[in-house]
Amino acid sequence: MSFISPDAGTDRVFDNADSFAMVFDRTWKQLRASNSGEVGQEQHLEAVFEAMADHPFLISSPDMARQVAAFRIRLLELT
């Protein structure tokens, strides 16, 4: 599965944290809605990363991408 673009009208993504965060937020919410909270947060996070596996920032900076994801989860109170 490929990542979900932040804007359905474009497939422009960039190798930076901002682009990653926009795609992460949308992917998190879309996958969470389809799972109806059936999986735990860590399992859901791994599913999001799998869905975003071809995002340039996740490829080039996987550790930083995980930090950005953890920050987004805390900041937006994503559960």
Side-chain angles (χ1 to χ4, degrees), residues 6-32:
D7 179 4
T10 181
D11 58 356
R12 293 178 52 164
V13 294
F14 302 95
D15 185 6
N16 62 45
D18 290 333
S19 174
F20 174 82
M22 290 188 308
V23 176
F24 176 82
D25 293 352
R26 175 168 289 199
T27 305
W28 178 278
K29 291 173 185 173
Q30 288 182 347
L31 290 180
R32 185 56 102 186

mmCIF file with all atom_site columns, all heavy atoms in Angstrom, residues 6-32:
data_model
loop_
_atom_site.group_PDB
_atom_site.id
_atom_site.type_symbol
_atom_site.label_atom_id
_atom_site.label_alt_id
_atom_site.label_comp_id
_atom_site.label_asym_id
_atom_site.label_entity_id
_atom_site.label_seq_id
_atom_site.pdbx_PDB_ins_code
_atom_site.Cartn_x
_atom_site.Cartn_y
_atom_site.Cartn_z
_atom_site.occupancy
_atom_site.B_iso_or_equiv
_atom_site.pdbx_formal_charge
_atom_site.auth_seq_id
_atom_site.auth_comp_id
_atom_site.auth_asym_id
_atom_site.auth_atom_id
_atom_site.pdbx_PDB_model_num
ATOM 1   N N   . PRO A 1 6  ? -1.410  14.155 1.041  1.00 0.00 ? 6  PRO A N   1
ATOM 2   C CA  . PRO A 1 6  ? -2.086  15.152 1.864  1.00 0.00 ? 6  PRO A CA  1
ATOM 3   C C   . PRO A 1 6  ? -3.141  15.927 1.090  1.00 0.00 ? 6  PRO A C   1
ATOM 4   O O   . PRO A 1 6  ? -4.043  16.499 1.661  1.00 0.00 ? 6  PRO A O   1
ATOM 5   C CB  . PRO A 1 6  ? -0.960  16.081 2.315  1.00 0.00 ? 6  PRO A CB  1
ATOM 6   C CG  . PRO A 1 6  ? 0.102   15.896 1.298  1.00 0.00 ? 6  PRO A CG  1
ATOM 7   C CD  . PRO A 1 6  ? -0.012  14.475 0.828  1.00 0.00 ? 6  PRO A CD  1
ATOM 8   N N   . ASP A 1 7  ? -3.043  15.929 -0.209 1.00 0.00 ? 7  ASP A N   1
ATOM 9   C CA  . ASP A 1 7  ? -3.997  16.644 -1.046 1.00 0.00 ? 7  ASP A CA  1
ATOM 10  C C   . ASP A 1 7  ? -4.352  15.729 -2.200 1.00 0.00 ? 7  ASP A C   1
ATOM 11  O O   . ASP A 1 7  ? -3.511  15.433 -3.038 1.00 0.00 ? 7  ASP A O   1
ATOM 12  C CB  . ASP A 1 7  ? -3.370  17.951 -1.552 1.00 0.00 ? 7  ASP A CB  1
ATOM 13  C CG  . ASP A 1 7  ? -4.300  18.740 -2.448 1.00 0.00 ? 7  ASP A CG  1
ATOM 14  O OD1 . ASP A 1 7  ? -5.462  18.336 -2.625 1.00 0.00 ? 7  ASP A OD1 1
ATOM 15  O OD2 . ASP A 1 7  ? -3.847  19.770 -2.976 1.00 0.00 ? 7  ASP A OD2 1
ATOM 16  N N   . ALA A 1 8  ? -5.595  15.309 -2.239 1.00 0.00 ? 8  ALA A N   1
ATOM 17  C CA  . ALA A 1 8  ? -6.013  14.352 -3.256 1.00 0.00 ? 8  ALA A CA  1
ATOM 18  C C   . ALA A 1 8  ? -5.779  14.888 -4.664 1.00 0.00 ? 8  ALA A C   1
ATOM 19  O O   . ALA A 1 8  ? -5.665  14.124 -5.609 1.00 0.00 ? 8  ALA A O   1
ATOM 20  C CB  . ALA A 1 8  ? -7.490  14.001 -3.062 1.00 0.00 ? 8  ALA A CB  1
ATOM 21  N N   . GLY A 1 9  ? -5.667  16.199 -4.831 1.00 0.00 ? 9  GLY A N   1
ATOM 22  C CA  . GLY A 1 9  ? -5.469  16.791 -6.137 1.00 0.00 ? 9  GLY A CA  1
ATOM 23  C C   . GLY A 1 9  ? -4.023  16.788 -6.591 1.00 0.00 ? 9  GLY A C   1
ATOM 24  O O   . GLY A 1 9  ? -3.727  17.141 -7.726 1.00 0.00 ? 9  GLY A O   1
ATOM 25  N N   . THR A 1 10 ? -3.111  16.397 -5.745 1.00 0.00 ? 10 THR A N   1
ATOM 26  C CA  . THR A 1 10 ? -1.694  16.405 -6.104 1.00 0.00 ? 10 THR A CA  1
ATOM 27  C C   . THR A 1 10 ? -0.987  15.253 -5.421 1.00 0.00 ? 10 THR A C   1
ATOM 28  O O   . THR A 1 10 ? -1.419  14.783 -4.381 1.00 0.00 ? 10 THR A O   1
ATOM 29  C CB  . THR A 1 10 ? -1.016  17.742 -5.716 1.00 0.00 ? 10 THR A CB  1
ATOM 30  O OG1 . THR A 1 10 ? 0.351   17.680 -6.124 1.00 0.00 ? 10 THR A OG1 1
ATOM 31  C CG2 . THR A 1 10 ? -1.075  17.996 -4.238 1.00 0.00 ? 10 THR A CG2 1
ATOM 32  N N   . ASP A 1 11 ? 0.085   14.806 -6.013 1.00 0.00 ? 11 ASP A N   1
ATOM 33  C CA  . ASP A 1 11 ? 0.883   13.760 -5.385 1.00 0.00 ? 11 ASP A CA  1
ATOM 34  C C   . ASP A 1 11 ? 2.238   14.313 -4.969 1.00 0.00 ? 11 ASP A C   1
ATOM 35  O O   . ASP A 1 11 ? 3.193   13.585 -4.790 1.00 0.00 ? 11 ASP A O   1
ATOM 36  C CB  . ASP A 1 11 ? 1.043   12.553 -6.307 1.00 0.00 ? 11 ASP A CB  1
ATOM 37  C CG  . ASP A 1 11 ? 1.690   12.907 -7.635 1.00 0.00 ? 11 ASP A CG  1
ATOM 38  O OD1 . ASP A 1 11 ? 1.950   14.100 -7.882 1.00 0.00 ? 11 ASP A OD1 1
ATOM 39  O OD2 . ASP A 1 11 ? 1.916   11.980 -8.432 1.00 0.00 ? 11 ASP A OD2 1
ATOM 40  N N   . ARG A 1 12 ? 2.303   15.619 -4.791 1.00 0.00 ? 12 ARG A N   1
ATOM 41  C CA  . ARG A 1 12 ? 3.551   16.274 -4.405 1.00 0.00 ? 12 ARG A CA  1
ATOM 42  C C   . ARG A 1 12 ? 3.835   16.047 -2.922 1.00 0.00 ? 12 ARG A C   1
ATOM 43  O O   . ARG A 1 12 ? 3.051   16.429 -2.071 1.00 0.00 ? 12 ARG A O   1
ATOM 44  C CB  . ARG A 1 12 ? 3.472   17.757 -4.692 1.00 0.00 ? 12 ARG A CB  1
ATOM 45  C CG  . ARG A 1 12 ? 3.403   18.064 -6.165 1.00 0.00 ? 12 ARG A CG  1
ATOM 46  C CD  . ARG A 1 12 ? 3.285   19.525 -6.411 1.00 0.00 ? 12 ARG A CD  1
ATOM 47  N NE  . ARG A 1 12 ? 4.340   20.222 -5.680 1.00 0.00 ? 12 ARG A NE  1
ATOM 48  C CZ  . ARG A 1 12 ? 4.700   21.456 -5.902 1.00 0.00 ? 12 ARG A CZ  1
ATOM 49  N NH1 . ARG A 1 12 ? 4.105   22.153 -6.818 1.00 0.00 ? 12 ARG A NH1 1
ATOM 50  N NH2 . ARG A 1 12 ? 5.654   22.021 -5.191 1.00 0.00 ? 12 ARG A NH2 1
ATOM 51  N N   . VAL A 1 13 ? 4.934   15.408 -2.663 1.00 0.00 ? 13 VAL A N   1
ATOM 52  C CA  . VAL A 1 13 ? 5.429   15.235 -1.299 1.00 0.00 ? 13 VAL A CA  1
ATOM 53  C C   . VAL A 1 13 ? 6.908   15.595 -1.308 1.00 0.00 ? 13 VAL A C   1
ATOM 54  O O   . VAL A 1 13 ? 7.560   15.581 -2.356 1.00 0.00 ? 13 VAL A O   1
ATOM 55  C CB  . VAL A 1 13 ? 5.222   13.803 -0.759 1.00 0.00 ? 13 VAL A CB  1
ATOM 56  C CG1 . VAL A 1 13 ? 3.753   13.484 -0.595 1.00 0.00 ? 13 VAL A CG1 1
ATOM 57  C CG2 . VAL A 1 13 ? 5.888   12.785 -1.643 1.00 0.00 ? 13 VAL A CG2 1
ATOM 58  N N   . PHE A 1 14 ? 7.416   15.920 -0.145 1.00 0.00 ? 14 PHE A N   1
ATOM 59  C CA  . PHE A 1 14 ? 8.789   16.379 -0.052 1.00 0.00 ? 14 PHE A CA  1
ATOM 60  C C   . PHE A 1 14 ? 9.520   15.616 1.039  1.00 0.00 ? 14 PHE A C   1
ATOM 61  O O   . PHE A 1 14 ? 8.903   15.066 1.944  1.00 0.00 ? 14 PHE A O   1
ATOM 62  C CB  . PHE A 1 14 ? 8.808   17.880 0.245  1.00 0.00 ? 14 PHE A CB  1
ATOM 63  C CG  . PHE A 1 14 ? 8.093   18.677 -0.805 1.00 0.00 ? 14 PHE A CG  1
ATOM 64  C CD1 . PHE A 1 14 ? 6.765   19.026 -0.632 1.00 0.00 ? 14 PHE A CD1 1
ATOM 65  C CD2 . PHE A 1 14 ? 8.743   19.057 -1.969 1.00 0.00 ? 14 PHE A CD2 1
ATOM 66  C CE1 . PHE A 1 14 ? 6.087   19.755 -1.609 1.00 0.00 ? 14 PHE A CE1 1
ATOM 67  C CE2 . PHE A 1 14 ? 8.078   19.780 -2.949 1.00 0.00 ? 14 PHE A CE2 1
ATOM 68  C CZ  . PHE A 1 14 ? 6.757   20.128 -2.772 1.00 0.00 ? 14 PHE A CZ  1
ATOM 69  N N   . ASP A 1 15 ? 10.819  15.632 0.958  1.00 0.00 ? 15 ASP A N   1
ATOM 70  C CA  . ASP A 1 15 ? 11.660  14.946 1.928  1.00 0.00 ? 15 ASP A CA  1
ATOM 71  C C   . ASP A 1 15 ? 11.910  15.881 3.114  1.00 0.00 ? 15 ASP A C   1
ATOM 72  O O   . ASP A 1 15 ? 13.020  16.354 3.334  1.00 0.00 ? 15 ASP A O   1
ATOM 73  C CB  . ASP A 1 15 ? 12.984  14.543 1.267  1.00 0.00 ? 15 ASP A CB  1
ATOM 74  C CG  . ASP A 1 15 ? 13.867  13.719 2.180  1.00 0.00 ? 15 ASP A CG  1
ATOM 75  O OD1 . ASP A 1 15 ? 13.416  13.352 3.292  1.00 0.00 ? 15 ASP A OD1 1
ATOM 76  O OD2 . ASP A 1 15 ? 15.014  13.446 1.800  1.00 0.00 ? 15 ASP A OD2 1
ATOM 77  N N   . ASN A 1 16 ? 10.827  16.177 3.852  1.00 0.00 ? 16 ASN A N   1
ATOM 78  C CA  . ASN A 1 16 ? 10.968  17.008 5.050  1.00 0.00 ? 16 ASN A CA  1
ATOM 79  C C   . ASN A 1 16 ? 9.886   16.645 6.054  1.00 0.00 ? 16 ASN A C   1
ATOM 80  O O   . ASN A 1 16 ? 8.913   15.954 5.733  1.00 0.00 ? 16 ASN A O   1
ATOM 81  C CB  . ASN A 1 16 ? 10.940  18.505 4.702  1.00 0.00 ? 16 ASN A CB  1
ATOM 82  C CG  . ASN A 1 16 ? 9.650   18.952 4.080  1.00 0.00 ? 16 ASN A CG  1
ATOM 83  O OD1 . ASN A 1 16 ? 8.560   18.604 4.531  1.00 0.00 ? 16 ASN A OD1 1
ATOM 84  N ND2 . ASN A 1 16 ? 9.743   19.766 3.040  1.00 0.00 ? 16 ASN A ND2 1
ATOM 85  N N   . ALA A 1 17 ? 10.066  17.110 7.276  1.00 0.00 ? 17 ALA A N   1
ATOM 86  C CA  . ALA A 1 17 ? 9.166   16.754 8.374  1.00 0.00 ? 17 ALA A CA  1
ATOM 87  C C   . ALA A 1 17 ? 7.760   17.308 8.183  1.00 0.00 ? 17 ALA A C   1
ATOM 88  O O   . ALA A 1 17 ? 6.781   16.668 8.574  1.00 0.00 ? 17 ALA A O   1
ATOM 89  C CB  . ALA A 1 17 ? 9.748   17.234 9.703  1.00 0.00 ? 17 ALA A CB  1
ATOM 90  N N   . ASP A 1 18 ? 7.639   18.492 7.584  1.00 0.00 ? 18 ASP A N   1
ATOM 91  C CA  . ASP A 1 18 ? 6.308   19.074 7.381  1.00 0.00 ? 18 ASP A CA  1
ATOM 92  C C   . ASP A 1 18 ? 5.471   18.234 6.422  1.00 0.00 ? 18 ASP A C   1
ATOM 93  O O   . ASP A 1 18 ? 4.296   17.958 6.688  1.00 0.00 ? 18 ASP A O   1
ATOM 94  C CB  . ASP A 1 18 ? 6.413   20.505 6.851  1.00 0.00 ? 18 ASP A CB  1
ATOM 95  C CG  . ASP A 1 18 ? 6.946   21.471 7.884  1.00 0.00 ? 18 ASP A CG  1
ATOM 96  O OD1 . ASP A 1 18 ? 6.767   21.211 9.091  1.00 0.00 ? 18 ASP A OD1 1
ATOM 97  O OD2 . ASP A 1 18 ? 7.541   22.485 7.494  1.00 0.00 ? 18 ASP A OD2 1
ATOM 98  N N   . SER A 1 19 ? 6.066   17.844 5.323  1.00 0.00 ? 19 SER A N   1
ATOM 99  C CA  . SER A 1 19 ? 5.361   16.995 4.367  1.00 0.00 ? 19 SER A CA  1
ATOM 100 C C   . SER A 1 19 ? 4.983   15.668 5.019  1.00 0.00 ? 19 SER A C   1
ATOM 101 O O   . SER A 1 19 ? 3.859   15.176 4.873  1.00 0.00 ? 19 SER A O   1
ATOM 102 C CB  . SER A 1 19 ? 6.251   16.745 3.144  1.00 0.00 ? 19 SER A CB  1
ATOM 103 O OG  . SER A 1 19 ? 5.653   15.831 2.267  1.00 0.00 ? 19 SER A OG  1
ATOM 104 N N   . PHE A 1 20 ? 5.918   15.100 5.769  1.00 0.00 ? 20 PHE A N   1
ATOM 105 C CA  . PHE A 1 20 ? 5.654   13.845 6.468  1.00 0.00 ? 20 PHE A CA  1
ATOM 106 C C   . PHE A 1 20 ? 4.498   14.000 7.447  1.00 0.00 ? 20 PHE A C   1
ATOM 107 O O   . PHE A 1 20 ? 3.601   13.160 7.502  1.00 0.00 ? 20 PHE A O   1
ATOM 108 C CB  . PHE A 1 20 ? 6.914   13.381 7.215  1.00 0.00 ? 20 PHE A CB  1
ATOM 109 C CG  . PHE A 1 20 ? 6.673   12.173 8.062  1.00 0.00 ? 20 PHE A CG  1
ATOM 110 C CD1 . PHE A 1 20 ? 6.685   10.902 7.513  1.00 0.00 ? 20 PHE A CD1 1
ATOM 111 C CD2 . PHE A 1 20 ? 6.416   12.296 9.426  1.00 0.00 ? 20 PHE A CD2 1
ATOM 112 C CE1 . PHE A 1 20 ? 6.445   9.785  8.294  1.00 0.00 ? 20 PHE A CE1 1
ATOM 113 C CE2 . PHE A 1 20 ? 6.183   11.194 10.211 1.00 0.00 ? 20 PHE A CE2 1
ATOM 114 C CZ  . PHE A 1 20 ? 6.194   9.928  9.651  1.00 0.00 ? 20 PHE A CZ  1
ATOM 115 N N   . ALA A 1 21 ? 4.494   15.088 8.215  1.00 0.00 ? 21 ALA A N   1
ATOM 116 C CA  . ALA A 1 21 ? 3.453   15.302 9.224  1.00 0.00 ? 21 ALA A CA  1
ATOM 117 C C   . ALA A 1 21 ? 2.074   15.399 8.586  1.00 0.00 ? 21 ALA A C   1
ATOM 118 O O   . ALA A 1 21 ? 1.093   14.846 9.110  1.00 0.00 ? 21 ALA A O   1
ATOM 119 C CB  . ALA A 1 21 ? 3.751   16.555 10.036 1.00 0.00 ? 21 ALA A CB  1
ATOM 120 N N   . MET A 1 22 ? 1.972   16.101 7.459  1.00 0.00 ? 22 MET A N   1
ATOM 121 C CA  . MET A 1 22 ? 0.670   16.231 6.798  1.00 0.00 ? 22 MET A CA  1
ATOM 122 C C   . MET A 1 22 ? 0.145   14.875 6.331  1.00 0.00 ? 22 MET A C   1
ATOM 123 O O   . MET A 1 22 ? -1.024  14.545 6.534  1.00 0.00 ? 22 MET A O   1
ATOM 124 C CB  . MET A 1 22 ? 0.770   17.194 5.613  1.00 0.00 ? 22 MET A CB  1
ATOM 125 C CG  . MET A 1 22 ? 0.977   18.628 6.037  1.00 0.00 ? 22 MET A CG  1
ATOM 126 S SD  . MET A 1 22 ? 0.869   19.833 4.703  1.00 0.00 ? 22 MET A SD  1
ATOM 127 C CE  . MET A 1 22 ? 1.989   19.196 3.491  1.00 0.00 ? 22 MET A CE  1
ATOM 128 N N   . VAL A 1 23 ? 1.023   14.092 5.733  1.00 0.00 ? 23 VAL A N   1
ATOM 129 C CA  . VAL A 1 23 ? 0.613   12.773 5.257  1.00 0.00 ? 23 VAL A CA  1
ATOM 130 C C   . VAL A 1 23 ? 0.343   11.847 6.443  1.00 0.00 ? 23 VAL A C   1
ATOM 131 O O   . VAL A 1 23 ? -0.617  11.078 6.439  1.00 0.00 ? 23 VAL A O   1
ATOM 132 C CB  . VAL A 1 23 ? 1.674   12.176 4.308  1.00 0.00 ? 23 VAL A CB  1
ATOM 133 C CG1 . VAL A 1 23 ? 1.291   10.765 3.889  1.00 0.00 ? 23 VAL A CG1 1
ATOM 134 C CG2 . VAL A 1 23 ? 1.850   13.060 3.083  1.00 0.00 ? 23 VAL A CG2 1
ATOM 135 N N   . PHE A 1 24 ? 1.167   11.938 7.479  1.00 0.00 ? 24 PHE A N   1
ATOM 136 C CA  . PHE A 1 24 ? 0.985   11.105 8.667  1.00 0.00 ? 24 PHE A CA  1
ATOM 137 C C   . PHE A 1 24 ? -0.388  11.342 9.302  1.00 0.00 ? 24 PHE A C   1
ATOM 138 O O   . PHE A 1 24 ? -1.110  10.394 9.607  1.00 0.00 ? 24 PHE A O   1
ATOM 139 C CB  . PHE A 1 24 ? 2.082   11.379 9.699  1.00 0.00 ? 24 PHE A CB  1
ATOM 140 C CG  . PHE A 1 24 ? 1.888   10.612 10.976 1.00 0.00 ? 24 PHE A CG  1
ATOM 141 C CD1 . PHE A 1 24 ? 2.299   9.301  11.080 1.00 0.00 ? 24 PHE A CD1 1
ATOM 142 C CD2 . PHE A 1 24 ? 1.264   11.205 12.069 1.00 0.00 ? 24 PHE A CD2 1
ATOM 143 C CE1 . PHE A 1 24 ? 2.095   8.576  12.252 1.00 0.00 ? 24 PHE A CE1 1
ATOM 144 C CE2 . PHE A 1 24 ? 1.057   10.499 13.246 1.00 0.00 ? 24 PHE A CE2 1
ATOM 145 C CZ  . PHE A 1 24 ? 1.475   9.179  13.335 1.00 0.00 ? 24 PHE A CZ  1
ATOM 146 N N   . ASP A 1 25 ? -0.743  12.619 9.508  1.00 0.00 ? 25 ASP A N   1
ATOM 147 C CA  . ASP A 1 25 ? -2.030  12.936 10.144 1.00 0.00 ? 25 ASP A CA  1
ATOM 148 C C   . ASP A 1 25 ? -3.199  12.349 9.361  1.00 0.00 ? 25 ASP A C   1
ATOM 149 O O   . ASP A 1 25 ? -4.088  11.720 9.931  1.00 0.00 ? 25 ASP A O   1
ATOM 150 C CB  . ASP A 1 25 ? -2.218  14.451 10.266 1.00 0.00 ? 25 ASP A CB  1
ATOM 151 C CG  . ASP A 1 25 ? -1.254  15.102 11.237 1.00 0.00 ? 25 ASP A CG  1
ATOM 152 O OD1 . ASP A 1 25 ? -0.514  14.379 11.944 1.00 0.00 ? 25 ASP A OD1 1
ATOM 153 O OD2 . ASP A 1 25 ? -1.227  16.345 11.285 1.00 0.00 ? 25 ASP A OD2 1
ATOM 154 N N   . ARG A 1 26 ? -3.180  12.559 8.056  1.00 0.00 ? 26 ARG A N   1
ATOM 155 C CA  . ARG A 1 26 ? -4.277  12.051 7.220  1.00 0.00 ? 26 ARG A CA  1
ATOM 156 C C   . ARG A 1 26 ? -4.305  10.519 7.226  1.00 0.00 ? 26 ARG A C   1
ATOM 157 O O   . ARG A 1 26 ? -5.371  9.918  7.365  1.00 0.00 ? 26 ARG A O   1
ATOM 158 C CB  . ARG A 1 26 ? -4.141  12.556 5.798  1.00 0.00 ? 26 ARG A CB  1
ATOM 159 C CG  . ARG A 1 26 ? -5.212  11.933 4.889  1.00 0.00 ? 26 ARG A CG  1
ATOM 160 C CD  . ARG A 1 26 ? -5.277  12.605 3.593  1.00 0.00 ? 26 ARG A CD  1
ATOM 161 N NE  . ARG A 1 26 ? -5.860  13.919 3.884  1.00 0.00 ? 26 ARG A NE  1
ATOM 162 C CZ  . ARG A 1 26 ? -6.411  14.683 2.982  1.00 0.00 ? 26 ARG A CZ  1
ATOM 163 N NH1 . ARG A 1 26 ? -6.446  14.289 1.743  1.00 0.00 ? 26 ARG A NH1 1
ATOM 164 N NH2 . ARG A 1 26 ? -6.930  15.838 3.304  1.00 0.00 ? 26 ARG A NH2 1
ATOM 165 N N   . THR A 1 27 ? -3.145  9.903  7.101  1.00 0.00 ? 27 THR A N   1
ATOM 166 C CA  . THR A 1 27 ? -3.085  8.442  7.065  1.00 0.00 ? 27 THR A CA  1
ATOM 167 C C   . THR A 1 27 ? -3.534  7.860  8.398  1.00 0.00 ? 27 THR A C   1
ATOM 168 O O   . THR A 1 27 ? -4.292  6.885  8.444  1.00 0.00 ? 27 THR A O   1
ATOM 169 C CB  . THR A 1 27 ? -1.654  7.964  6.730  1.00 0.00 ? 27 THR A CB  1
ATOM 170 O OG1 . THR A 1 27 ? -1.228  8.584  5.509  1.00 0.00 ? 27 THR A OG1 1
ATOM 171 C CG2 . THR A 1 27 ? -1.595  6.466  6.574  1.00 0.00 ? 27 THR A CG2 1
ATOM 172 N N   . TRP A 1 28 ? -3.084  8.456  9.502  1.00 0.00 ? 28 TRP A N   1
ATOM 173 C CA  . TRP A 1 28 ? -3.483  7.999  10.835 1.00 0.00 ? 28 TRP A CA  1
ATOM 174 C C   . TRP A 1 28 ? -5.009  8.004  10.959 1.00 0.00 ? 28 TRP A C   1
ATOM 175 O O   . TRP A 1 28 ? -5.617  7.022  11.368 1.00 0.00 ? 28 TRP A O   1
ATOM 176 C CB  . TRP A 1 28 ? -2.857  8.894  11.903 1.00 0.00 ? 28 TRP A CB  1
ATOM 177 C CG  . TRP A 1 28 ? -3.251  8.516  13.298 1.00 0.00 ? 28 TRP A CG  1
ATOM 178 C CD1 . TRP A 1 28 ? -4.410  8.861  13.945 1.00 0.00 ? 28 TRP A CD1 1
ATOM 179 C CD2 . TRP A 1 28 ? -2.513  7.704  14.217 1.00 0.00 ? 28 TRP A CD2 1
ATOM 180 N NE1 . TRP A 1 28 ? -4.429  8.324  15.204 1.00 0.00 ? 28 TRP A NE1 1
ATOM 181 C CE2 . TRP A 1 28 ? -3.282  7.613  15.398 1.00 0.00 ? 28 TRP A CE2 1
ATOM 182 C CE3 . TRP A 1 28 ? -1.285  7.082  14.148 1.00 0.00 ? 28 TRP A CE3 1
ATOM 183 C CZ2 . TRP A 1 28 ? -2.846  6.891  16.496 1.00 0.00 ? 28 TRP A CZ2 1
ATOM 184 C CZ3 . TRP A 1 28 ? -0.854  6.357  15.253 1.00 0.00 ? 28 TRP A CZ3 1
ATOM 185 C CH2 . TRP A 1 28 ? -1.629  6.271  16.412 1.00 0.00 ? 28 TRP A CH2 1
ATOM 186 N N   . LYS A 1 29 ? -5.610  9.125  10.614 1.00 0.00 ? 29 LYS A N   1
ATOM 187 C CA  . LYS A 1 29 ? -7.062  9.269  10.764 1.00 0.00 ? 29 LYS A CA  1
ATOM 188 C C   . LYS A 1 29 ? -7.824  8.329  9.846  1.00 0.00 ? 29 LYS A C   1
ATOM 189 O O   . LYS A 1 29 ? -8.809  7.720  10.263 1.00 0.00 ? 29 LYS A O   1
ATOM 190 C CB  . LYS A 1 29 ? -7.469  10.721 10.524 1.00 0.00 ? 29 LYS A CB  1
ATOM 191 C CG  . LYS A 1 29 ? -6.985  11.644 11.627 1.00 0.00 ? 29 LYS A CG  1
ATOM 192 C CD  . LYS A 1 29 ? -7.241  13.091 11.312 1.00 0.00 ? 29 LYS A CD  1
ATOM 193 C CE  . LYS A 1 29 ? -6.638  13.990 12.391 1.00 0.00 ? 29 LYS A CE  1
ATOM 194 N NZ  . LYS A 1 29 ? -6.723  15.407 12.023 1.00 0.00 ? 29 LYS A NZ  1
ATOM 195 N N   . GLN A 1 30 ? -7.375  8.195  8.602  1.00 0.00 ? 30 GLN A N   1
ATOM 196 C CA  . GLN A 1 30 ? -8.078  7.317  7.667  1.00 0.00 ? 30 GLN A CA  1
ATOM 197 C C   . GLN A 1 30 ? -7.979  5.855  8.075  1.00 0.00 ? 30 GLN A C   1
ATOM 198 O O   . GLN A 1 30 ? -8.967  5.126  8.025  1.00 0.00 ? 30 GLN A O   1
ATOM 199 C CB  . GLN A 1 30 ? -7.567  7.523  6.249  1.00 0.00 ? 30 GLN A CB  1
ATOM 200 C CG  . GLN A 1 30 ? -8.019  8.830  5.661  1.00 0.00 ? 30 GLN A CG  1
ATOM 201 C CD  . GLN A 1 30 ? -7.570  9.039  4.234  1.00 0.00 ? 30 GLN A CD  1
ATOM 202 O OE1 . GLN A 1 30 ? -6.712  8.314  3.723  1.00 0.00 ? 30 GLN A OE1 1
ATOM 203 N NE2 . GLN A 1 30 ? -8.120  10.044 3.588  1.00 0.00 ? 30 GLN A NE2 1
ATOM 204 N N   . LEU A 1 31 ? -6.795  5.431  8.489  1.00 0.00 ? 31 LEU A N   1
ATOM 205 C CA  . LEU A 1 31 ? -6.655  4.037  8.909  1.00 0.00 ? 31 LEU A CA  1
ATOM 206 C C   . LEU A 1 31 ? -7.370  3.784  10.232 1.00 0.00 ? 31 LEU A C   1
ATOM 207 O O   . LEU A 1 31 ? -7.934  2.715  10.437 1.00 0.00 ? 31 LEU A O   1
ATOM 208 C CB  . LEU A 1 31 ? -5.183  3.645  9.012  1.00 0.00 ? 31 LEU A CB  1
ATOM 209 C CG  . LEU A 1 31 ? -4.423  3.525  7.692  1.00 0.00 ? 31 LEU A CG  1
ATOM 210 C CD1 . LEU A 1 31 ? -2.977  3.134  7.941  1.00 0.00 ? 31 LEU A CD1 1
ATOM 211 C CD2 . LEU A 1 31 ? -5.096  2.537  6.770  1.00 0.00 ? 31 LEU A CD2 1
ATOM 212 N N   . ARG A 1 32 ? -7.348  4.764  11.124 1.00 0.00 ? 32 ARG A N   1
ATOM 213 C CA  . ARG A 1 32 ? -8.038  4.603  12.409 1.00 0.00 ? 32 ARG A CA  1
ATOM 214 C C   . ARG A 1 32 ? -9.541  4.466  12.180 1.00 0.00 ? 32 ARG A C   1
ATOM 215 O O   . ARG A 1 32 ? -10.195 3.636  12.799 1.00 0.00 ? 32 ARG A O   1
ATOM 216 C CB  . ARG A 1 32 ? -7.725  5.777  13.336 1.00 0.00 ? 32 ARG A CB  1
ATOM 217 C CG  . ARG A 1 32 ? -8.302  5.641  14.723 1.00 0.00 ? 32 ARG A CG  1
ATOM 218 C CD  . ARG A 1 32 ? -7.874  4.364  15.395 1.00 0.00 ? 32 ARG A CD  1
ATOM 219 N NE  . ARG A 1 32 ? -6.819  4.582  16.355 1.00 0.00 ? 32 ARG A NE  1
ATOM 220 C CZ  . ARG A 1 32 ? -6.190  3.619  16.983 1.00 0.00 ? 32 ARG A CZ  1
ATOM 221 N NH1 . ARG A 1 32 ? -6.493  2.362  16.779 1.00 0.00 ? 32 ARG A NH1 1
ATOM 222 N NH2 . ARG A 1 32 ? -5.236  3.887  17.822 1.00 0.00 ? 32 ARG A NH2 1
#
